[in-house]
Amino acid sequence: MVFEIQISRFKASDVIWTGNYSTTVTQNQVLHWSWESELPLECAIHFVRMRTMVDDARIPVPRFWSNWSSWKKADAQNSLGDHPLYVFPKDKLVEEGSDVTICYISRNHQDNISCYLEDVLTFGKQLDQSVWAFELKNISFLRKTGTNFYCQGQGVPEGVVLFVSKVLEEPKNFSCETRDLKTLTCTWDPGDDTGLIQLPSYTLFESFSRKKTLCKHRNRCDWQVTQDSQEMYNFTLVAENYFRKRSVSILFNLIHGVHPVAPYNLFPKNVSATNATMTWKVHSIGNNSALLCQLQLLGEGKVIQQHNISIRVNGEYLLSELEPDTEYMARVRCAYADHFWKWSELISQNFTTAEAAPSEAPDVWRDVMFVSGHPTVTLFWKPLSKVHTHGKILFYNVVVENLDEASSLEVLSVPAPANSTKVTLNQSSYQIHVTAHNSVGPSPASTVAISGHPGNENVEEGRINGTEDGFPMSWKPQSRNATGYVVEWCDGPQNLPCVLQWKNLGPTTTGTVISSGAFRPGVRYNFRIYEISTKRMAHLLEKKTGYLEELAPSYNPQVVPNNLTSHSFTLSWKDYPTESQTGFIQGYYVYLKSKAGEKCHRGFEKTVLPDNSVCCKYTIDNPDQKTFVMKDLQPESVYEFFVTPYTSAGEGPMDDFRKVTTPDEYSHILIHIILPMIFCVLVIMIACYLKSQWLKDKCYPDIPDPYKSSVLSLIKSKENPHITIMNVNDCVPDAIEVVNKPEGSKIQFTGTRKSPTETKGTKPAYLDLLPTEKNYSGPGPCICFENFTYNQAASDLGYCGHFPVTSQAPHCPLGPLTSPENLLKTLEQNYMNSLGEIPAGEANLNYVSQLASPVSGDKESPPTNPPEPALCSEYKMQMAIPLGLASPPPSENSSLSSTTLLDPGEHYH
Amino acid sequence: MKVLAAGVVPLLLVLHWKQGAGNPLPITPVNATCATRHPCPSNLMNQIRNQLGQLNSSANSLFILYYTAQGEPFPNNLDKLCGPNVTDFPPFHANGTEKARLVELYRIIAYLGASLGNITRDQKVLNPYAHGLHSRLSATADVLRGLLSNVLCRLCSKHHVGHVDVTYGPDTSGKDVFQKKKLGCQLLGKYKQVIAVLAQAF
């Protein structure tokens, strides 16, 4: 029968699909046919109808279609709830790259609904008043947990999750093997994960036995070999998921796919210095089938021996030609001997051979220093290579043999890992033998010979240039009997402790390249080439020095300018070491800048500095010249200079210029005049200082000595020959004689008991200077002279002879002065003190002059006259009185008591 | 789906270990006897407060972890997809008596515990490799179980309440994946909101 089926959507008249379905039917049979809609059925009402026709060759044509059945409606919307929004299909599983249609049903027709795939707005088409559809083309895989599609209007968003599966790949590298002829294991590469939580299934089908098994792993499957001696297998692997089914097949011969299990119990036995026997076991296959095993011996990671051995159960093999004290790895793997297909996994075992005596003499060299004529030899030796040590070196034996004394042997034992020792010898010839010892025995000896006398060290030093490969050097042999040559050098810079290096060369060698990883550019290396005689004696042949690569000097010399004149100065950098620079110093550049910017001096050339400034440059091409005279300079000018060395690689770093100012041209003349003048003035000043006392006495004594005064002679000679000079001894101690008192002059002393009449006449008038008990009555006058040349301290204190004249002055201890003798003594004493140094205890003194200064006052006026404003002549003194004696505490009444009132009309001189 | 359906019933049984758990339980009459299986600890209210604080401190990070694991559009549409629109969520009145508050707390914790069990089960299927999310959900469910036990102890020992009517959220086992994600997100948003109120109230 053939059935024609029509499907409509939304309305019965809208047919969207027509198709035929043919099948053989029996009576009362219920047929099933399905159709998948690209639009989720929940989003639209679908109608279906069919008609049928007999499709049997036995029934003659014409055949007729039956009538159409009535439309049957499929309405999934009836089962929906009353939510305002629905999105379909729910949780759909799709394959990557396919198309999918998503629809929504909105109950609220006014709602403006937007739909998004993940967060990307998606546009659809309206199918019905309430149904929209979104066709998603070529959908891609995003994540295992699905791709979200959601729609939102005014209510709660609704959505669906699409689970996108990657395309299932065909299994690759499908193969089978057996390890024991009992179980087959088939493996394959499943390819990329489909990205779904639901994994694809893998099924293994064998067509001869028609058996199949569901694999437990996605890349491996086990198959039990039957006991019916089936050798050939035709396997088909089927990978299947929701969308696809993939399969691969192989035809497999069991014998050709034997992959033995790895051997076990691999052990060394009877290990000696050069031999070892390896043993191992294998798992039997079938009925003790033969296995081919491969034994490999590895040293330092490389296969050095390989042997194939055929065995059944136990393997054994003797490894020979091994190195002593060497760690080896033995490893073994096996394959099926009847038909090789694949090696088993490797198993390995390490072992170390036994020690043997070192096989080679150590490489020995020496450094000879003569101290006080005796050679001190430092022996160096290189550690033996591992190939030659044959065990751990424990110590080195050094045997010193004096060739001049046959029986003289000295043996030193130097524990490893030392690589040098020092021996002090006599001025004899020696042979020194060095052997290295391990636990088994000594190595062959290495011999050096030492002469008791210094050899020829006066060999000219040549220069060599380094290359990328090192220092190439050659030499001329001196002797035809040389047994070899040795080149020695130091790896480090010269100023570091030298690590002596050497290289042995054969007797026919006349050149070599010295290379070392320690060589650095800019470091000077010194090489010495020795020729070794048949007696193992070394003779210095040549000296070489050079740089692997010369560099520009790293620093500049400290230049000192001296011999500065108005036209020249000298630059000196004698401390600059040329030997320890980063290249051979070829000379120096002297840069000169002047403020005037004039032309360069002779020999200089203009140059532009890196800072674009212009200066003059002078080239010194002699590295040993470390002074330079700048000539033809201008006086009183500023010059800037800078000196830098240069090598073949360039000049030194640019430093700051130093300034020098040339002096004035005539400055030396001024110096020749001013200096003597200053000297003369100094001499005069010193002389004056030394004779100051004499000058003082002569020119301005503290107390003018009338007898010494030159004025005296003038007076005497020109005026009054009768004038005499008052002698202190002639003075009455309590009175002052006023000389040259004019006639009629009057002196009035307020408060004095002397009557005015007593002061009249030519007779010298005497003033009571200090009251006595007898003549004292009431407040007395005072005569106060100020002597500005004396004791400023006393003056400052105001003690200027204001003697209180009180009727009772018990606190004024004037007792010792009340008598003329005492006063005279005091005066004399204080006069002497005034000439000399005033004692500290007498610093507070009042001074009273022996000479009265002019006093004003009316001698006729009664003594009761009130005191007038005092015109107190003060005189700082030639005579001192202790303050405590002369100055009682002042009182109100005594404030004027020591004042001599002078009449303005009467002055006494 | 069978697996999904199989998860919630054991969870509810664990939450209410007594026979008949899962059915609405009436509040025990005042004069009824009330007994707990284990003696209640003395500092019960402190423990309840601490547990609420612990849940409150981790609720936001759990919420973020959840909606991030769901992929777009969840992280950028939290208000629409993860708003706390849980209609049948048990109410809570912070100004009630201690007994009333504890009863309401019990209902809320029971609701949350069951819902969290559903979410955990769903996420183990939908996000099988989100182990961090799984462990955080499980840890939160553990604390909720302990809190439920303590609240019941308190109700029983002090207020003589042995049975409380409880309600549960919708079972998500029959729902589509998008609904599961959305309901879980809404529930965790609600949980974050309500646990802050509860921590404040106690």
Side-chain angles (χ1 to χ4, degrees):
Chain A
M1 298 286 288
V2 56
F3 299 88
E4 185 179 12
I5 303 170
Q6 285 188 335
I7 295 176
S8 304
R9 184 174 286 162
F10 292 111
K11 291 186 293 185
S13 58
D14 295 342
V15 176
I16 58 167
W17 185 86
T18 301
N20 289 337
Y21 170 63
S22 298
T23 186
T24 304
V25 297
T26 57
Q27 196 169 5
N28 297 326
Q29 182 184 5
V30 178
L31 297 177
H32 294 275
W33 173 85
S34 66
W35 173 79
E36 187 174 353
S37 170
E38 79 283 357
L39 180 72
L41 295 178
E42 294 92 339
C43 289
I45 300 171
H46 286 76
F47 301 89
V48 60
R49 69 176 182 175
M50 68 175 67
R51 61 180 179 176
T52 183
M53 184 176 68
V54 174
D55 184 20
D56 190 341
R58 293 173 294 177
I59 297 178
V61 293
R63 302 163 192 151
F64 301 99
W65 285 101
S66 69
N67 291 330
W68 285 102
S69 68
S70 61
W71 288 101
K72 296 291 180 185
K73 187 167 75 173
D75 188 3
Q77 293 184 351
N78 286 336
S79 59
L80 299 179
D82 55 353
H83 284 223
L85 181 64
Y86 289 95
V87 183
F88 295 103
K90 301 288 185 188
D91 306 339
K92 188 174 179 61
L93 194 62
V94 295
E95 193 175 42
E96 189 177 35
S98 62
D99 302 337
V100 63
T101 302
I102 296 176
C103 63
Y104 75 75
I105 304 167
S106 172
R107 306 281 194 207
N108 183 1
H109 304 320
Q110 308 301 323
D111 200 357
N112 187 19
I113 294 173
S114 302
C115 294
Y116 301 84
L117 179 65
E118 292 289 313
D119 54 352
V120 178
L121 181 63
T122 307
F123 299 98
K125 66 179 179 182
Q126 189 169 15
L127 303 180
D128 192 8
Q129 189 179 12
S130 58
V131 179
W132 283 70
F134 301 86
E135 194 171 356
L136 307 179
K137 298 277 189 186
N138 192 19
I139 197 159
S140 57
F141 175 85
L142 281 183
R143 65 179 82 85
K144 282 192 170 187
T145 54
T147 303
N148 298 319
F149 181 94
Y150 75 105
C151 299
Q152 64 173 17
Q154 293 176 350
V156 179
E158 292 293 338
V160 294
V161 178
L162 295 173
F163 292 95
V164 181
S165 165
K166 291 181 182 175
V167 177
L168 177 66
E169 293 184 27
E170 186 178 275
K172 294 183 274 291
N173 303 328
F174 178 47
S175 65
C176 298
E177 67 180 24
T178 178
R179 313 215 64 164
D180 51 6
L181 296 176
K182 295 175 184 171
T183 303
L184 271 170
T185 302
C186 296
T187 57
W188 62 91
D189 175 10
D192 285 345
D193 185 9
T194 56
L196 286 184
I197 298 166
Q198 295 85 5
L199 296 173
S201 65
Y202 291 88
T203 307
L204 191 62
F205 175 71
E206 203 283 305
S207 60
F208 297 134
S209 61
R210 305 199 63 80
K211 291 180 180 175
K212 70 175 181 181
T213 182
L214 183 64
C215 302
K216 294 177 182 175
H217 308 279
R218 63 188 293 260
N219 62 347
R220 181 168 59 87
C221 207
D222 290 333
W223 184 273
Q224 293 300 319
V225 176
T226 56
Q227 301 298 321
D228 54 2
S229 302
Q230 181 186 356
E231 280 195 11
M232 294 303 296
Y233 292 84
N234 186 10
F235 284 117
T236 299
L237 175 69
V238 179
E240 185 176 9
N241 71 354
Y242 181 79
F243 302 102
R244 291 176 189 271
K245 184 185 283 189
R246 303 275 198 179
S247 63
V248 288
S249 299
I250 57 166
L251 190 62
F252 173 67
N253 187 326
L254 185 66
I255 303 302
H256 294 175
V258 179
H259 180 201
V261 181
Y264 62 101
N265 284 356
L266 174 65
F267 293 116
K269 70 176 185 180
N270 302 331
V271 179
S272 68
T274 55
N275 297 318
T277 301
M278 303 304 299
T279 62
W280 67 95
K281 293 183 178 179
V282 293
H283 299 276
S284 62
I285 295 178
N287 297 322
N288 281 341
S289 301
L291 289 174
L292 176 69
C293 291
Q294 186 178 66
L295 177 65
Q296 294 177 331
L297 182 71
L298 287 85
E300 296 180 346
K302 294 178 182 175
V303 177
I304 53 178
Q305 291 184 25
Q306 184 166 296
H307 309 279
N308 290 333
I309 309 107
S310 181
I311 63 169
R312 289 191 181 276
V313 179
N314 298 322
E316 182 174 314
Y317 192 82
L318 173 65
L319 294 168
S320 57
E321 298 177 357
L322 306 181
E323 293 292 331
D325 189 43
T326 303
E327 185 175 2
Y328 291 99
M329 174 191 278
R331 61 187 190 187
V332 66
R333 56 185 179 177
C334 299
Y336 192 56
D338 292 347
H339 188 277
F340 177 84
W341 183 63
K342 194 185 278 186
W343 288 110
S344 70
E345 293 82 9
L346 284 162
I347 60 165
S348 60
Q349 182 70 48
N350 292 340
F351 66 96
T352 304
T353 51
E355 290 190 4
S359 61
E360 190 150 300
D363 184 2
V364 178
W365 185 237
R366 88 293 176 278
D367 181 33
V368 184
M369 300 278 292
F370 283 87
V371 180
S372 304
H374 294 277
T376 299
V377 179
T378 306
L379 290 165
F380 299 92
W381 55 86
K382 294 175 182 172
L384 286 172
S385 67
K386 178 130 182 70
V387 179
H388 298 122
T389 53
H390 293 176
K392 185 182 179 185
I393 298 297
L394 302 176
F395 60 93
Y396 294 88
N397 256 4
V398 178
V399 179
V400 182
E401 179 187 3
N402 191 331
L403 299 178
D404 299 337
E405 298 175 21
S407 61
S408 174
L409 276 179
E410 184 184 354
V411 179
L412 299 173
S413 182
V414 183
N419 61 353
S420 68
T421 189
K422 193 171 280 190
V423 181
T424 304
L425 307 175
N426 295 323
Q427 290 174 331
S428 304
S429 294
Y430 290 88
Q431 271 196 343
I432 302 175
H433 311 277
V434 181
T435 52
H437 292 247
N438 64 11
S439 63
V440 177
S443 69
S446 183
T447 303
V448 292
I450 305 293
S451 167
H453 304 283
N456 178 24
E457 290 287 322
N458 297 325
V459 177
E460 190 174 348
E461 186 177 75
R463 286 186 177 180
I464 52 172
N465 293 322
T467 65
E468 288 182 356
D469 300 328
F471 289 94
M473 60 185 68
S474 60
W475 56 89
K476 292 178 181 175
Q478 281 187 348
S479 166
R480 292 183 178 180
N481 298 325
T483 59
Y485 298 91
V486 172
V487 181
E488 73 168 28
W489 73 94
C490 282
D491 254 354
Q494 288 176 316
N495 51 358
L496 288 177
C498 176
V499 180
L500 192 66
Q501 304 291 329
W502 69 94
K503 183 177 182 181
N504 287 307
L505 297 156
T508 58
T509 309
T510 57
T512 186
V513 176
I514 302 297
S515 59
S516 168
F519 287 151
R520 296 283 178 267
V523 178
R524 180 181 284 200
Y525 296 101
N526 296 318
F527 300 90
R528 294 157 75 93
I529 304 166
Y530 291 90
E531 186 181 74
I532 310 299
S533 70
T534 51
K535 295 182 179 178
R536 302 299 301 162
M537 198 75 76
H539 303 284
L540 182 61
L541 208 60
E542 290 185 25
K543 290 181 185 175
K544 307 276 187 186
T545 184
Y547 295 84
L548 189 67
E549 181 189 350
E550 284 192 69
L551 302 178
S554 57
Y555 66 96
N556 294 320
Q558 294 288 327
V559 181
V560 179
N562 47 32
N563 299 339
L564 181 64
T565 68
S566 55
H567 292 287
S568 69
F569 60 85
T570 302
L571 302 177
S572 174
W573 57 95
K574 291 182 178 174
D575 294 336
Y576 189 68
T578 53
E579 298 298 315
S580 58
Q581 299 306 318
T582 53
F584 292 116
I585 301 296
Q586 296 180 344
Y588 302 91
Y589 293 131
V590 180
Y591 291 93
L592 182 70
K593 278 199 240 179
S594 63
K595 289 287 183 185
E598 67 267 16
K599 289 182 179 178
C600 291
H601 294 77
R602 194 174 57 190
F604 282 81
E605 59 183 7
K606 277 206 171 181
T607 186
V608 179
L609 297 176
D611 61 354
N612 292 328
S613 61
V614 178
C615 70
C616 299
K617 177 181 174 183
Y618 185 85
T619 303
I620 300 172
D621 54 6
N622 178 10
D624 297 326
Q625 179 185 334
K626 296 183 180 179
T627 58
F628 181 74
V629 179
M630 303 288 301
K631 298 176 186 172
D632 302 330
L633 306 178
Q634 295 293 323
E636 283 188 287
S637 297
V638 177
Y639 290 92
E640 293 180 69
F641 67 86
F642 163 60
V643 178
T644 183
Y646 66 91
T647 66
S648 63
E651 60 186 88
M654 287 301 295
D655 281 346
D656 293 336
F657 279 72
R658 288 187 61 186
K659 286 184 181 177
V660 167
T661 304
T662 51
D664 183 11
E665 197 170 5
Y666 304 104
S667 61
H668 66 284
I669 299 173
L670 291 175
I671 288 171
H672 290 165
I673 295 171
I674 291 172
L675 280 179
M677 285 181 67
I678 293 172
F679 179 74
C680 292
V681 169
L682 280 175
V683 168
I684 292 168
M685 288 176 68
I686 291 168
C688 290
Y689 176 76
L690 294 174
K691 294 294 183 181
S692 60
Q693 193 60 43
W694 177 80
L695 274 175
K696 186 179 179 183
D697 292 345
K698 196 71 179 174
C699 300
Y700 53 95
D702 289 340
I703 303 172
D705 188 349
Y707 293 105
K708 295 178 179 176
S709 174
S710 57
V711 179
L712 187 61
S713 59
L714 291 173
I715 296 171
K716 280 183 178 177
S717 60
K718 292 181 178 179
E719 294 182 2
N720 191 358
H722 302 290
I723 288 176
T724 59
I725 294 169
M726 184 181 71
N727 193 333
V728 177
N729 293 331
D730 297 337
C731 292
V732 178
D734 58 349
I736 295 173
E737 181 184 2
V738 179
V739 296
N740 289 334
K741 180 181 177 294
E743 284 294 328
S745 65
K746 295 176 182 178
I747 299 173
Q748 182 182 357
F749 295 103
T750 305
T752 181
R753 290 190 304 171
K754 293 256 182 204
S755 66
T757 55
E758 291 175 358
T759 63
K760 289 179 179 177
T762 58
K763 190 177 177 180
Y766 293 91
L767 297 179
D768 286 340
L769 181 61
L770 296 171
T772 61
E773 288 181 4
K774 194 170 73 176
N775 62 8
Y776 176 77
S777 65
C782 79
I783 300 171
C784 183
F785 298 100
E786 185 176 5
N787 184 353
F788 292 100
T789 65
Y790 205 79
N791 201 336
Q792 188 63 39
S795 171
D796 293 343
L797 288 169
Y799 295 117
C800 52
H802 295 264
F803 294 107
V805 184
T806 56
S807 57
Q808 293 174 352
H811 53 280
C812 184
L814 294 175
L817 297 179
T818 50
S819 65
E821 293 80 8
N822 290 343
L823 180 60
L824 185 60
K825 285 179 183 174
T826 305
L827 287 172
E828 286 175 350
Q829 182 184 349
N830 289 331
Y831 173 70
M832 294 307 292
N833 285 341
S834 71
L835 295 177
E837 187 176 342
I838 302 168
E842 300 174 9
N844 293 329
L845 298 175
N846 272 350
Y847 303 97
V848 177
S849 176
Q850 295 164 316
L851 298 175
S853 62
V855 178
S856 67
D858 189 358
K859 66 182 181 181
E860 301 297 334
S861 63
T864 56
N865 283 350
E868 294 292 326
L871 293 172
C872 186
S873 296
E874 290 181 332
Y875 181 69
K876 272 190 182 175
M877 67 87 17
Q878 298 94 335
M879 179 185 73
I881 296 173
L883 182 61
L885 301 174
S887 179
S891 63
E892 286 182 16
N893 296 330
S894 64
S895 62
L896 297 174
S897 62
S898 58
T899 303
T900 299
L901 298 178
L902 301 176
D903 189 332
E906 294 180 357
H907 297 274
Y908 296 88
H909 299 280
Chain B
M1 293 303 169
K2 288 179 181 175
V3 176
L4 301 182
V8 70
V9 176
L11 179 76
L12 294 176
L13 288 173
V14 169
L15 289 171
H16 301 275
W17 52 82
K18 289 193 174 183
Q19 191 176 7
N23 298 322
L25 298 175
I27 296 177
T28 310
V30 176
N31 55 358
T33 57
C34 174
T36 56
R37 258 179 209 187
H38 306 289
C40 295
S42 57
N43 55 346
L44 206 50
M45 283 309 290
N46 271 342
Q47 281 203 23
I48 290 171
R49 283 187 205 101
N50 290 340
Q51 285 167 319
L52 285 171
Q54 185 184 354
L55 291 170
N56 186 33
S57 64
S58 63
N60 191 47
S61 59
L62 176 64
F63 180 54
I64 293 171
L65 197 59
Y66 179 87
Y67 68 67
T68 306
Q70 308 316 309
E72 287 298 337
F74 288 90
N76 289 322
N77 293 274
L78 292 179
D79 52 339
K80 294 168 184 167
L81 290 169
C82 303
N85 308 317
V86 184
T87 52
D88 54 350
F89 199 81
F92 180 76
H93 302 90
N95 52 0
T97 62
E98 182 191 290
K99 179 182 175 183
R101 284 187 290 134
L102 282 171
V103 168
E104 288 177 336
L105 174 65
Y106 186 90
R107 287 187 179 123
I108 290 170
I109 299 302
Y111 186 99
L112 286 173
S115 299
L116 218 58
N118 285 338
I119 293 171
T120 308
R121 176 203 59 202
D122 292 342
Q123 287 300 311
K124 283 186 176 174
V125 176
L126 299 177
N127 279 305
Y129 305 109
H131 301 298
L133 176 63
H134 302 161
S135 62
R136 290 291 297 276
L137 286 168
S138 299
T140 306
D142 291 344
V143 179
L144 284 172
R145 270 194 292 275
L147 178 60
L148 197 71
S149 173
N150 283 339
V151 172
L152 184 62
C153 256
R154 179 72 175 179
L155 280 171
C156 187
S157 61
K158 187 171 182 186
H159 304 291
H160 307 291
V161 176
H163 301 281
V164 179
D165 287 341
V166 295
T167 57
Y168 302 115
D171 180 15
T172 58
S173 58
K175 295 187 181 299
D176 64 85
V177 172
F178 193 85
Q179 288 297 317
K180 287 175 182 173
K181 289 181 176 183
K182 190 173 77 173
L183 289 174
C185 204
Q186 287 174 343
L187 189 279
L188 288 176
K190 181 71 177 178
Y191 162 71
K192 185 186 83 165
Q193 183 190 61
V194 78
I195 205 71
V197 176
L198 294 174
Q200 189 72 27
F202 289 91

